[in-house]
Amino acid sequence: MKIKIYDSLIIEYCDSNTIPNIDINLINKLEDKLYEKGFVFLNSYKITRKENNQITYKKSFVHKELCTFASINYIYQELTREFLVNKIKTTATLYTFEVITKYLDESKLISIIDFEKHFVDILDKNDIVFPYKDIKSWIGYTK
Protein backbone atom coordinates (compact mmCIF):
# COMPACT_ATOMS: atom_id res chain seq x y z
CA MET A 1 0.00 0.00 0.00
CA LYS A 2 1.48 3.33 -1.09
CA ILE A 3 1.01 6.35 1.13
CA LYS A 4 1.59 9.91 -0.07
CA ILE A 5 2.46 12.33 2.71
CA TYR A 6 2.24 16.08 2.25
CA ASP A 7 2.73 18.84 4.82
CA SER A 8 -0.89 18.76 5.93
CA LEU A 9 -2.28 15.62 4.23
CA ILE A 10 -1.80 11.88 4.31
CA ILE A 11 -3.26 10.10 1.27
CA GLU A 12 -3.56 6.33 1.15
CA TYR A 13 -5.54 3.69 -0.69
CA CYS A 14 -8.42 2.21 1.28
CA ASP A 15 -11.01 -0.50 1.01
CA SER A 16 -14.35 1.30 0.98
CA ASN A 17 -15.92 -1.63 2.85
CA THR A 18 -13.88 -0.72 5.95
CA ILE A 19 -15.12 2.88 6.28
CA PRO A 20 -16.67 3.44 9.74
CA ASN A 21 -20.23 4.75 10.13
CA ILE A 22 -20.84 5.20 6.40
CA ASP A 23 -24.33 5.00 4.89
CA ILE A 24 -23.46 2.23 2.42
CA ASN A 25 -26.95 2.29 0.86
CA LEU A 26 -26.49 5.94 -0.12
CA ILE A 27 -23.05 5.22 -1.59
CA ASN A 28 -24.41 2.22 -3.53
CA LYS A 29 -27.24 4.34 -4.98
CA LEU A 30 -24.76 6.98 -6.18
CA GLU A 31 -22.46 4.31 -7.64
CA ASP A 32 -25.38 2.69 -9.49
CA LYS A 33 -26.27 6.06 -11.06
CA LEU A 34 -22.66 6.49 -12.20
CA TYR A 35 -22.45 2.97 -13.65
CA GLU A 36 -25.75 3.53 -15.53
CA LYS A 37 -24.22 6.60 -17.17
CA GLY A 38 -21.03 4.81 -18.30
CA PHE A 39 -18.63 5.64 -15.47
CA VAL A 40 -16.12 3.05 -14.24
CA PHE A 41 -14.58 2.80 -10.78
CA LEU A 42 -10.96 3.97 -10.43
CA ASN A 43 -9.96 3.74 -6.77
CA SER A 44 -10.78 4.54 -3.15
CA TYR A 45 -8.66 6.84 -1.01
CA LYS A 46 -8.46 7.89 2.61
CA ILE A 47 -7.27 11.49 2.98
CA THR A 48 -6.32 12.66 6.48
CA ARG A 49 -5.94 16.39 7.17
CA LYS A 50 -3.46 16.55 10.03
CA GLU A 51 -4.25 20.08 11.24
CA ASN A 52 -7.88 19.33 12.13
CA ASN A 53 -7.92 15.52 12.22
CA GLN A 54 -10.48 15.41 9.42
CA ILE A 55 -10.74 12.24 7.36
CA THR A 56 -12.19 12.18 3.84
CA TYR A 57 -12.97 8.91 2.12
CA LYS A 58 -13.06 9.42 -1.65
CA LYS A 59 -14.29 6.98 -4.29
CA SER A 60 -13.17 8.06 -7.75
CA PHE A 61 -14.76 7.23 -11.10
CA VAL A 62 -14.05 8.14 -14.72
CA HIS A 63 -16.09 8.33 -17.92
CA LYS A 64 -13.47 7.85 -20.63
CA GLU A 65 -15.58 8.91 -23.62
CA LEU A 66 -16.65 12.18 -21.96
CA CYS A 67 -13.29 12.90 -20.27
CA THR A 68 -15.22 13.34 -17.05
CA PHE A 69 -14.31 12.48 -13.48
CA ALA A 70 -16.69 11.87 -10.60
CA SER A 71 -16.09 11.34 -6.92
CA ILE A 72 -18.19 10.40 -3.93
CA ASN A 73 -16.81 11.87 -0.72
CA TYR A 74 -17.58 11.00 2.86
CA ILE A 75 -16.03 13.43 5.34
CA TYR A 76 -15.67 12.38 8.96
CA GLN A 77 -14.33 14.52 11.80
CA GLU A 78 -14.32 14.22 15.57
CA LEU A 79 -14.49 17.56 17.33
CA THR A 80 -13.97 18.44 20.96
CA ARG A 81 -15.73 21.64 21.96
CA GLU A 82 -15.78 23.36 25.30
CA PHE A 83 -19.13 24.60 26.58
CA LEU A 84 -18.87 26.54 29.82
CA VAL A 85 -16.66 24.19 31.84
CA ASN A 86 -17.45 20.90 30.09
CA LYS A 87 -15.68 19.46 27.07
CA ILE A 88 -18.03 17.70 24.71
CA LYS A 89 -16.84 15.38 21.96
CA THR A 90 -18.96 15.39 18.81
CA THR A 91 -18.69 13.77 15.41
CA ALA A 92 -19.41 15.67 12.23
CA THR A 93 -20.09 13.88 8.95
CA LEU A 94 -20.79 15.16 5.45
CA TYR A 95 -21.52 13.41 2.16
CA THR A 96 -20.52 15.25 -1.01
CA PHE A 97 -20.55 14.35 -4.67
CA GLU A 98 -18.93 16.04 -7.64
CA VAL A 99 -18.69 15.55 -11.39
CA ILE A 100 -15.91 17.43 -13.18
CA THR A 101 -15.35 17.70 -16.94
CA LYS A 102 -12.08 19.35 -17.94
CA TYR A 103 -11.73 20.85 -21.42
CA LEU A 104 -8.67 21.38 -23.63
CA ASP A 105 -8.57 25.09 -22.73
CA GLU A 106 -8.18 24.00 -19.04
CA SER A 107 -11.67 25.24 -18.10
CA LYS A 108 -13.93 22.95 -16.10
CA LEU A 109 -17.64 22.24 -15.84
CA ILE A 110 -18.38 21.18 -12.27
CA SER A 111 -21.54 19.84 -10.69
CA ILE A 112 -21.17 19.57 -6.94
CA ILE A 113 -23.34 18.70 -3.96
CA ASP A 114 -22.78 20.61 -0.69
CA PHE A 115 -20.50 23.24 -2.20
CA GLU A 116 -17.96 24.47 0.36
CA LYS A 117 -16.29 27.89 0.34
CA HIS A 118 -12.72 26.54 0.36
CA PHE A 119 -13.50 24.94 -3.02
CA VAL A 120 -13.66 28.44 -4.59
CA ASP A 121 -9.88 28.79 -4.15
CA ILE A 122 -9.15 26.17 -6.81
CA LEU A 123 -11.54 27.54 -9.42
CA ASP A 124 -10.46 29.51 -12.46
CA LYS A 125 -12.46 32.41 -13.87
CA ASN A 126 -13.58 30.29 -16.87
CA ASP A 127 -14.89 27.44 -14.73
CA ILE A 128 -18.63 26.85 -14.59
CA VAL A 129 -20.06 25.46 -11.34
CA PHE A 130 -23.53 24.03 -10.74
CA PRO A 131 -24.02 23.65 -6.97
CA TYR A 132 -26.76 21.48 -5.48
CA LYS A 133 -27.70 21.35 -1.82
CA ASP A 134 -29.19 18.00 -0.94
CA ILE A 135 -27.54 14.78 -2.12
CA LYS A 136 -30.36 12.50 -0.96
CA SER A 137 -33.18 14.25 -2.83
CA TRP A 138 -30.97 14.49 -5.92
CA ILE A 139 -30.86 10.68 -6.25
CA GLY A 140 -34.33 10.03 -4.82
CA TYR A 141 -32.85 8.30 -1.75
CA THR A 142 -34.86 7.30 1.28
CA LYS A 143 -33.36 5.20 4.04
Side-chain angles (χ1 to χ4, degrees), residues 26-130:
L26 173 63
I27 301 302
N28 289 340
K29 276 268 225 196
L30 283 167
E31 285 184 33
D32 289 345
K33 285 230 180 231
L34 290 171
Y35 295 142
E36 287 171 14
K37 299 296 182 185
F39 282 85
V40 294
F41 175 71
L42 285 177
N43 225 320
S44 289
Y45 301 96
K46 177 182 177 184
I47 304 164
T48 305
R49 290 185 186 277
K50 293 189 283 186
E51 72 269 5
N52 60 2
N53 200 30
Q54 176 183 324
I55 298 172
T56 301
Y57 295 95
K58 180 181 279 285
K59 292 187 85 167
S60 299
F61 302 81
V62 67
H63 193 297
K64 294 178 183 178
E65 288 79 31
L66 299 177
C67 298
T68 301
F69 292 91
S71 68
I72 300 169
N73 308 304
Y74 171 62
I75 302 167
Y76 178 87
Q77 184 175 14
E78 286 188 350
L79 307 165
T80 302
R81 295 188 175 140
E82 196 167 322
F83 294 100
L84 300 175
V85 294
N86 297 326
K87 287 187 178 180
I88 298 173
K89 193 174 206 175
T90 60
T91 301
T93 61
L94 174 67
Y95 291 91
T96 66
F97 174 69
E98 58 198 25
V99 178
I100 301 173
T101 303
K102 191 170 185 177
Y103 298 97
L104 291 175
D105 68 355
E106 298 296 317
S107 65
K108 295 178 278 305
L109 177 64
I110 303 166
S111 293
I112 189 164
I113 303 277
D114 285 322
F115 184 77
E116 294 183 17
K117 290 190 185 224
H118 73 268
F119 186 74
V120 173
D121 298 338
I122 65 168
L123 297 176
D124 293 328
K125 64 179 178 181
N126 295 328
D127 293 344
I128 299 170
V129 178
F130 294 107

